[in-house]
Amino acid sequence: MAIMFQLLWRYAAHNNRLFSHAVDPAITRHIARSYNIGLVLYLAAVLIDIISPPVSLAISIGLAVFFAIPNRQVQQLMTTSDTTA
């Protein structure tokens, strides 16, 4: 799922393809970095599952909470998109 979301994000963010051109590219780069970290940690969770399912579950829950709480850059992106629409 993380891989598909990563592909969707890359498509949307590439040259502000699905965002307003008023959106600062630095914001989309910052969000992309956090998604890259998530992708790596989800992969780690899958590999750790072989050794310790509870640790893998904890990593997955932690990532779900991390991505469920919008950060300042996501809120700024949403605000910029709303004002230019």
Side-chain angles (χ1 to χ4, degrees):
M1 189 165 89
I3 292 169
M4 293 309 295
F5 188 78
Q6 185 74 254
L7 291 173
L8 177 66
W9 173 258
R10 296 291 176 190
Y11 177 82
H14 181 70
N15 293 329
N16 285 347
R17 185 178 288 152
L18 296 181
F19 300 131
S20 164
H21 290 289
V23 172
D24 183 6
I27 295 171
T28 56
R29 282 193 305 271
H30 176 79
I31 294 170
R33 279 194 298 274
S34 69
Y35 291 159
N36 289 338
I37 292 168
L39 184 63
V40 170
L41 289 176
Y42 275 122
L43 178 61
V46 168
L47 296 175
I48 290 171
D49 189 45
I50 298 167
I51 300 166
S52 176
V55 172
S56 175
L57 184 61
I59 292 170
S60 295
I61 291 171
L63 283 167
V65 169
F66 173 75
F67 286 118
I69 300 170
N71 62 24
R72 186 173 34 105
Q73 283 76 19
V74 172
Q75 290 174 342
Q76 185 176 358
L77 178 63
M78 291 169 52
T79 303
T80 303
S81 296
D82 287 344
T83 58
T84 58

